[in-house]
Amino acid sequence: MRAFGMYNYLHLDSWYQDNVYYVDQFGRVMNLSVTLDTALQKPREVFRLPTDLTACDNRLCASMHFSSSTWVTLSDGTGRLYLIKSGKRGSSASEKWEIVFNEELGSPFILAHSVSFVKSDAHSLAVLVLRVEKDELDTKGSGFHVTLEWLTIAERKESDHRYEIVKRRILQGKSVPHYAAIEPSGDGLMIVSHKPFTYMQSESDKLEENDDAKVSNEKKDPLYYWQQTQDDMTITVQLPQDITKDDIKIRFSPDNIWVTLKDQPPLMEGKLYSSVDHESCTWIIREDKSLEISLIKKNEGCQWPELIIGDTRGEFIMDPSQCSEIAESLMHLTSEVMNPNPEKENPPCNAQELEECDAFLEDGASLCRFDGDTLKVTHTINLGSNQYLFSVVVNPREMPCFCLRHDVDALLWQPHSDQPENMWEHIATFNALGYVQASKQDKKFMACAPDYSYAALCECLRRVFIYRQPTPLATVLYNRKEGRQVGQVAKQLVATLESSDPILGFQATSERLFVLTTKTLFLIKVNSGN
């Protein structure tokens, strides 16, 4: 139900303003382009799927994704993938959809994401497809699993510039991902899901890994443990019994560390994540026969995500006080005043007053980043009670943003795969949206404008709720109850469609909302254009 029953049949082309597409029951790809200076046109056909869709019994809905301003990936729901060169879309003059590649990939799937990039002078497309498949080995659970297949399709210059699949990788999990997107460079994958996904290796990969495993057993205990405060780092290494003080050699430099024991290969060696005051760094052997190294940070207050760049043999230990510090540092992102004066009778937000619909599942979702080469997880963030709400494309050249609930608010995060120190940037806050949406039991889709001017949600039938960002008032209001002035107000609007047909698609642009039912495409003007 989550994978296919809640599928959004309306596709927003973020490369061109106010441009939406859907695939109708006859396999026609229909487009509606809206510009301010033209009258509203009827949807026009831009492409027709060549297959007879009625012939396939277990067909899924057709799906599509806009990989770039001139490339589209399309699935007919029978298990066939099409790569289409579209020309510049949104203007009928240069828009011409041509199939460049099409191949049967196996069982039916829907497209989750795709990107277009150039690597080693060759144009490539990375495509992510989602399937729900029977799991013969799962006798106690649902009997099904979810697979994400990550394909790389590249132009082969030696074979008449034909496009071919050059890589196929499969990840498997037991829940439908809330969010799954490939990085713009094609080098990584990010997934937000309730249950973890793991890479399913092919037999050839397993053989290679077995050879490697003979050399180094993967599940070794960490070589060292490290902790950090605002101004220093502490590294702890458990020493073998026969090691004395004279056997230990340690060199510090502003950007590097080098540690050896006796005549063994270096225990730690490499470039530190950030600079240290190397003349103040020290080491001692503790009573429990462990080596303790202290590094003094050059840049106080800077949190290090790793100790030695690229070294995964150590384990970071975070103490509870740091966890609460991080939570506190996020507080400024939520409602301006959570509870400024606890003595007052009615604090703005009280956990006891949250409604039943606000209760979270104990085990929340996780955000994971997978490396494109090794398919190993490089980052894991437990989202806990920060419930996933929706995703939105703010800049089509970047990954889609995702919106998470944080207390009563909703925070929008933009992934930056090319910035390891700022991989997830907070870009917008929708005050109280987290709380408001929780009471909408019949909600089907959520979205927000790419300029963050409003957020919106629609129910399965008829009703659309629009939540504008606060705007300054022409005259200042006075709140007598709290004795304070109100200089801005946020408006909530409700639109009721003149139709009782089920809503199948929902997309938001900076100026309007598009709502697709089984028979009609509705446009709701939210903001007037400049």
Side-chain angles (χ1 to χ4, degrees), residues 164-352:
E164 292 172 10
I165 296 175
V166 292
K167 224 176 197 182
R168 290 181 81 156
R169 293 145 290 185
I170 288 179
L171 293 119
Q172 198 171 291
K174 295 297 276 184
S175 69
V176 175
H178 297 300
Y179 172 101
I182 303 165
E183 294 172 0
S185 59
D187 291 332
L189 174 69
M190 289 188 198
I191 298 174
V192 176
S193 61
H194 183 56
K195 295 196 173 150
F197 273 77
T198 47
Y199 172 44
M200 308 306 290
Q201 293 164 301
S202 62
E203 289 306 313
S204 58
D205 288 344
K206 280 182 185 165
L207 290 172
E208 279 177 33
E209 186 143 301
N210 286 343
D211 293 344
D212 294 345
K214 286 170 192 167
V215 182
S216 69
N217 187 3
E218 270 225 48
K219 285 283 176 197
K220 277 185 181 169
D221 287 333
L223 278 182
Y224 58 89
Y225 296 90
W226 61 285
Q227 288 178 288
Q228 63 177 317
T229 66
Q230 295 289 332
D231 31 52
D232 62 24
M233 323 279 294
T234 306
I235 307 161
T236 308
V237 182
Q238 203 54 47
L239 295 170
Q241 285 299 317
D242 58 338
I243 294 291
T244 64
K245 194 173 180 182
D246 299 331
D247 297 327
I248 301 169
K249 289 189 172 53
I250 300 181
R251 282 207 306 266
F252 302 113
S253 76
D255 300 305
N256 288 272
I257 187 169
W258 184 81
V259 180
T260 58
L261 307 178
K262 255 184 179 169
D263 305 322
Q264 296 171 13
L267 180 77
M268 295 169 70
E269 179 184 32
K271 189 173 182 351
L272 295 165
Y273 175 77
S274 187
S275 300
V276 294
D277 179 358
H278 65 292
E279 289 175 354
S280 306
C281 296
T282 57
W283 61 275
I284 56 165
I285 296 177
R286 298 179 65 90
E287 289 169 16
D288 63 354
K289 200 78 172 117
S290 65
L291 168 66
E292 188 174 288
I293 303 168
S294 296
L295 306 178
I296 309 301
K297 294 179 181 178
K298 256 258 173 69
N299 307 318
E300 288 179 15
C302 167
Q303 288 289 320
W304 293 21
E306 57 184 340
L307 180 68
I308 296 169
I309 293 172
D311 188 350
T312 55
R313 299 172 304 163
E315 187 174 304
F316 174 56
I317 299 169
M318 188 185 285
D319 66 51
S321 66
Q322 282 175 311
C323 293
S324 60
E325 266 176 43
I326 287 170
E328 269 177 47
S329 71
L330 287 172
M331 282 303 284
H332 74 280
L333 302 178
T334 60
S335 287
E336 288 170 37
V337 185
M338 276 302 292
N339 189 357
N341 183 357
E343 310 304 310
K344 265 171 69 173
E345 277 181 48
N346 290 319
C349 176
N350 180 337
Q352 278 75 43

Side-chain angles (χ1 to χ4, degrees), residues 457-458 462-466 493-495 497 506 513 515 524:
L457 64 86
C458 73
R462 295 179 79 94
R463 289 200 300 175
V464 175
F465 298 86
I466 299 161
L493 311 169
V494 183
L497 305 181
F506 189 67
L513 273 166
V515 188
I524 301 170

